[in-house]
Amino acid sequence: MLTCKTYDLAGAMDAIAPAMGEQNVIIPVLNGVRHIDVLTERFGAGRVLGGLTVINAALMPDGTIQQSQVRVNITAIGELDGRSSSRCTAIKTALEAGGIPVQVTDNVLMMMWEKFFGFACSATIASLSRSRAGVIARASDGASFVSAVIAECTRVVTAVGYPPLPAFNTAGEISALFSQPDSAYGPFMLIDMEDGRPTEGEHTIGDLAECAGRLGVSAPLLTASRCNLQTYEINRCPKT
């Protein structure tokens, strides 16, 4: 199961390549979707499953992992082509024996895009404002800013072919998340920025901004967020 930060995906692939036998399969539970194409190109479509996990956790400065006040706890896997398979059932059984509840879905790509949509909204809001949810909620333009980001991300993922599903109500949850004046919530991308660590900006916000460009969808907020993240990385590691 591939859980590394996506900015080191190439290194992770090199590390696991010697262990990839005929019966081995990779289950990435990374943010975004770009890694699916990268992994299938390297290892073949038959060696890669779709996967996602939603736990809202962040790496703390002391190295501990802390789960945020937003508790979702969803893990899902599935074949990229939607078919049923014995290997998904076997993996589910093995993970649940270790205390990890897992869904096997016939539409894992849809679920990955739904997660990506929510992640992109939260990360764009937080990275542009460099603020936690409660601060944004208290800003006079906070609610309209949050709505504008959600609308823009909705237009992009809909153009890609994966519109947000009403059953998940991801947009409503994001709006509610950033409307609580006392909330200290911040997506882990913001926490990485606060602590001076590298981010997954290019793999996530950058990828969605590129999708918008290819499809002719205006996405000024995603573009601004991507630029913000790029300049953060430049300032974080200035040339000597």
Side-chain angles (χ1 to χ4, degrees):
M1 182 174 288
L2 190 61
T3 60
C4 70
K5 288 275 189 169
T6 49
Y7 49 74
D8 193 32
L9 183 55
M13 291 192 298
D14 290 341
I16 65 176
M20 288 300 294
E22 289 298 321
Q23 300 301 316
N24 296 106
V25 63
I26 300 168
I27 311 172
V29 287
L30 307 172
N31 290 308
V33 295
R34 178 187 290 178
H35 56 275
I36 293 295
D37 289 339
V38 175
L39 289 167
T40 54
E41 182 177 352
R42 175 73 179 270
F43 298 105
R47 299 282 186 83
V48 181
L49 295 177
L52 70 147
T53 189
V54 186
I55 57 174
N56 287 90
L59 181 67
M60 297 292 101
D62 63 359
T64 60
I65 297 174
Q66 183 181 86
Q67 191 167 7
S68 81
Q69 65 196 64
V70 181
R71 302 298 175 97
V72 183
N73 296 337
I74 295 174
T75 300
I77 64 173
E79 296 287 348
L80 295 176
D81 61 6
R83 62 185 172 86
S84 299
S85 71
S86 58
R87 64 183 181 179
C88 282
T89 302
I91 292 166
K92 171 182 169 69
T93 300
L95 289 175
E96 291 189 338
I100 304 174
V102 178
Q103 301 177 29
V104 175
T105 176
D106 60 1
N107 202 347
V108 71
L109 286 175
M110 177 274 292
M111 292 188 68
M112 290 174 65
W113 272 98
E114 188 73 29
K115 177 193 174 183
F116 188 19
F117 166 66
F119 174 89
C121 290
S122 293
T124 298
I125 292 164
S127 63
L128 278 178
S129 64
R130 301 285 183 100
S131 299
R132 300 294 181 105
V135 176
I136 296 167
R138 295 196 299 272
S140 59
D141 289 328
S144 60
F145 170 59
V146 169
S147 294
V149 171
I150 293 172
E152 185 171 301
C153 290
T154 298
R155 289 194 297 272
V156 178
V157 298
T158 299
V160 172
Y162 292 94
L165 298 179
F168 286 93
N169 191 31
T170 303
E173 291 178 356
I174 297 297
S175 294
L177 192 61
F178 287 94
S179 67
Q180 303 171 36
D182 297 326
S183 174
Y185 167 75
F188 76 82
M189 185 177 286
L190 175 66
I191 296 172
D192 283 344
M193 297 173 78
E194 291 174 343
D195 293 338
R197 293 191 294 260
T199 74
E200 294 180 311
E202 277 303 299
H203 176 81
T204 54
I205 303 302
D207 187 36
L208 201 58
E210 289 181 5
C211 286
R214 288 195 302 270
L215 296 168
V217 179
S218 177
L221 293 172
L222 283 169
T223 301
S225 179
R226 184 186 194 184
C227 181
N228 192 342
L229 290 161
Q230 290 171 341
T231 55
Y232 161 78
E233 294 291 353
I234 292 169
N235 290 324
R236 189 181 67 84
C237 299
K239 293 182 179 179
T240 56

